[in-house]
Amino acid sequence: MAQRSIVRTKAVVLRSIDYGETSQIVTLFTQKKGKIGVMAKGARRPKSSFGATLQPMAYTQVVFYYKPARTLQTLSESSHVQSFHRLRGSLPTITVGLRIVELVDALMEKEDPQPAAFGLMVRALHRLNHSEVRVGNLWPFVQLQLAQMLGVAPAVERARVEAVTGEEGLLSLADGGVYPTDATPERPTRASRSALRAYAVCARADLDTVMRLDMAPAVRREVNALVRDFLRYQFDDAYPDRSRSVIAQIERAGAPGSGQSHS
Amino acid sequence: MQYTSESVEALVEQFTKLPTIGKKTARRLANYVLKMPQEEVETIASALRSVKEDVQRCSTCYVVADQDPCPICSSDKRDASTICVVEESSDLIAIEQTNEYRGVYHVLGGVISPLDGVGPDDLRVHELAARIDPSFEDTAADAAPAPETMPDGEADDDADPSENGQVQEGETAAPVDEVILAVNPNVEGDTTAYYITQLLEPFDVRVTRIARGLPIGGDLEYADEATLSRALEGRGHVD
């Protein structure tokens, strides 16, 4: 017989969809249960105690009644662990944050706890909440770290990165490694040496180091494209693409803060 | 095996196309319609038909109306120098019911929602800019960087620049002093508000956003930190 239990856990909100007149269906990435869907009854009422805690990217402590047979659990309580409200204070931080939640939502299996991925997401959102410069560095970093946690760590070796001495080198989409142009890795793609070095830093260094990395806009574009190609090769259709064109529209419209803060 | 008439089943099928209506509710509604007097059913049918045939959108503010321009845009009692930007026509009704606002409106037709794939090009954002400065279309074309210069380097192949807003020929745009963003206080509303603010930055117009914080009758003790922070940020003088 299915075991009912009350679960209290930390969670990051991935998505909220309105349901009925006043309720919401919320996708949470929880520390204890992994990705889970909950019904938040009355969440849209003006005086709802859920307040702003069910907005995407919110870091909350939730309580829900868990029943294994259910596809949607019933949310009982939700309160901020940290409100991260500054994260919602500019377009660059919002767009990077939304891409992170979209990625986690797409790549995580339901009810598969991934404490390391949860920790990565909280660290990334925390950094977004406090950073004003180079917030765009978080995006390739989070993608490569998440890939590593899901078993497709980029095989970046320092010696091979340093062997790239010319203008260009290669990235293997099969193993995520960086190679000189005379190597013959599986599924190679060409890139500039600067982009490959920045890619290697994002793959191997810690978050503080990555956030200190200055990338020229052209290099950043190249790094983002390399990481995208690698993850798309590894995760195929599971790699999310929906927000990409919207964010491109936002950035194309000459959103000045967007460009400055990302670079 | 057929338990009921084909007409009833067809009606149930049509009702299930409405939002939040499932099969059971649709069946209940169909049974109710069966019991209704003939003239009431005809009134409903006629209302459904006329909502599609007679209703149009105001070509200035894009609200749903029976005439173009809508009564608000054509009224000389409204202050055309203030535009209140709302997501949908239903939001306009909510603001009108306050009897506090005398300006005009602009209905976006949604909000920017990256997670749902809804971007500025899907909304009437450029039409708003064109209301403020009819030369916006040219400005936008000159200012917009080529896709390859985007910070993220991810070109949007689907974007159609021809969908930008246009001011109708012969129309004289009234000078706009203030744009009030009355979008919902959520992530999508924030994204839309920041986007519009940046889009309108080159124009000589004040962009404001309606206050966010505690609801009247609410309780501080039960308010979450984000809402309280906003309420503190937006605090005002006691009148």
Side-chain angles (χ1 to χ4, degrees):
Chain A
M1 191 179 142
Q3 188 79 39
R4 269 172 180 262
S5 59
I6 294 174
V7 177
R8 180 183 292 272
T9 178
K10 289 176 178 167
V12 173
V13 178
L14 301 178
R15 290 211 70 178
S16 300
I17 301 166
D18 290 350
Y19 180 80
E21 288 284 314
T22 59
S23 300
Q24 279 185 323
I25 294 172
V26 184
T27 308
L28 299 170
F29 186 43
T30 67
Q31 198 172 33
K32 289 184 183 171
K33 293 277 181 188
K35 191 171 84 167
I36 205 156
V38 295
M39 173 69 79
K41 290 178 184 166
R44 286 154 63 213
R45 289 187 201 279
K47 295 179 197 170
S48 163
S49 62
F50 294 126
T53 63
L54 302 181
Q55 288 293 301
M57 303 182 282
Y59 180 29
T60 65
Q61 173 89 37
V62 294
V63 179
F64 56 85
Y65 299 106
Y66 180 75
K67 195 176 175 186
R70 280 191 191 145
T71 51
L72 270 184
Q73 309 299 332
T74 305
L75 188 67
S76 165
E77 289 174 30
S78 174
S79 57
H80 283 298
V81 176
Q82 279 182 284
S83 70
F84 290 160
H85 67 277
R86 273 185 290 179
L87 191 160
R88 285 170 54 182
S90 76
L91 269 179
T93 51
I94 290 178
T95 52
V96 173
L98 287 177
R99 295 196 85 165
I100 292 171
V101 298
E102 184 189 37
L103 182 75
V104 170
D105 190 14
L107 297 187
M108 291 295 151
E109 296 289 334
K110 279 189 177 170
E111 300 198 26
D112 176 23
Q114 295 275 355
F118 181 81
L120 169 71
M121 193 176 192
V122 171
R123 278 202 314 281
L125 293 176
H126 185 269
R127 186 55 76 110
L128 269 181
N129 193 50
H130 288 94
S131 298
E132 287 175 0
V133 291
R134 296 189 284 270
V135 292
N137 288 12
L138 267 167
W139 178 228
F141 173 79
V142 168
Q143 290 182 91
L144 292 172
Q145 293 294 315
L146 201 61
Q148 186 179 337
M149 289 166 187
L150 294 173
V152 286
V156 176
E157 287 175 19
R158 189 185 183 123
R160 286 205 301 245
V161 176
E162 285 176 351
V164 180
T165 51
E167 291 284 300
E168 289 188 328
L170 302 172
L171 174 78
S172 164
L173 298 182
D175 67 12
V178 174
Y179 297 86
T181 44
D182 56 1
T184 52
E186 199 182 336
R187 291 299 301 257
T189 181
R190 241 169 218 279
S192 72
R193 189 172 66 154
S194 314
L196 288 169
R197 280 177 175 255
Y199 166 90
V201 171
C202 290
R204 294 292 301 270
D206 58 35
L207 181 55
D208 288 332
T209 309
V210 171
M211 292 305 282
R212 284 198 297 270
L213 184 65
D214 260 326
M215 285 189 251
V219 173
R220 176 187 308 287
R221 287 195 297 276
E222 222 181 329
V223 171
N224 281 331
L226 289 172
V227 175
R228 189 178 67 236
D229 290 348
F230 171 58
L231 265 76
R232 196 176 273 163
Y233 181 82
Q234 297 297 334
F235 296 110
D236 207 7
D237 287 344
Y239 184 74
D241 224 16
R242 193 180 259 186
S243 69
R244 192 169 67 90
S245 67
V246 173
I247 290 167
Q249 282 176 39
I250 292 172
E251 291 173 345
R252 190 190 55 225
S258 171
Q260 282 162 12
S261 297
H262 273 247
S263 51
Chain B
M1 189 176 169
Q2 182 89 29
Y3 290 107
T4 179
S5 86
E6 267 184 37
S7 302
V8 172
E9 285 306 304
L11 186 59
V12 169
E13 196 61 37
Q14 295 310 309
F15 277 141
T16 57
K17 290 177 181 172
L18 298 172
T20 75
I21 305 287
K23 200 92 177 171
K24 275 190 179 174
T25 310
R27 202 168 289 284
R28 255 182 243 127
L29 288 172
N31 283 335
Y32 186 78
V33 169
L34 273 176
K35 291 175 192 165
M36 285 171 83
Q38 178 73 21
E39 57 271 23
E40 277 189 33
V41 175
E42 275 165 17
T43 309
I44 290 175
S46 149
L48 282 172
R49 207 172 297 117
S50 84
V51 86
K52 289 306 286 180
E53 286 168 2
D54 305 337
V55 172
Q56 47 189 312
R57 280 198 184 273
C58 171
S59 59
T60 307
C61 71
Y62 299 95
V63 71
V64 169
D66 286 333
Q67 67 218 51
D68 181 19
C70 70
I72 293 175
C73 289
S74 56
S75 167
D76 54 8
K77 290 181 181 160
R78 307 297 295 222
D79 174 12
S81 68
T82 306
I83 298 178
C84 180
V85 178
V86 292
E87 294 175 21
E88 300 291 353
S89 296
S90 53
D91 299 322
L92 180 152
I93 295 165
I95 293 175
E96 279 298 288
Q97 281 170 347
T98 65
N99 281 323
E100 293 286 336
Y101 179 66
R102 302 310 303 158
V104 293
Y105 291 92
H106 187 87
V107 181
L108 290 174
V111 273
I112 298 171
S113 176
L115 296 180
D116 296 313
V118 180
D121 293 352
D122 301 309
L123 308 174
R124 301 183 197 99
V125 176
H126 296 115
E127 286 85 339
L128 171 67
R131 279 179 76 178
I132 293 156
D133 185 347
S135 66
F136 168 74
E137 227 186 335
D138 309 328
T139 315
D142 294 342
E148 63 269 21
T149 65
M150 283 187 283
D152 206 18
E154 297 170 342
D156 173 24
D157 300 333
D158 300 333
D160 179 5
S162 68
E163 285 176 7
N164 282 351
Q166 291 177 346
V167 168
Q168 288 173 359
E169 213 173 316
E171 189 179 322
T172 313
V176 177
D177 297 329
E178 183 177 3
V179 171
I180 302 168
L181 302 174
V183 287
N184 286 325
N186 51 29
V187 172
E188 293 82 7
D190 289 346
T191 311
T192 309
Y194 292 128
Y195 178 81
I196 292 176
T197 305
Q198 291 184 343
L199 187 76
L200 301 184
E201 221 167 49
F203 306 120
D204 184 23
V205 62
R206 194 158 75 102
V207 182
T208 57
R209 187 172 178 190
I210 56 169
R212 288 159 287 171
L214 296 167
I216 292 172
D219 199 325
L220 272 182
E221 192 184 348
Y222 296 110
D224 65 276
E225 288 89 334
T227 306
L228 263 179
S229 301
R230 290 289 186 192
L232 279 170
E233 280 170 19
R235 69 188 185 277
H237 288 287
V238 181
D239 294 325

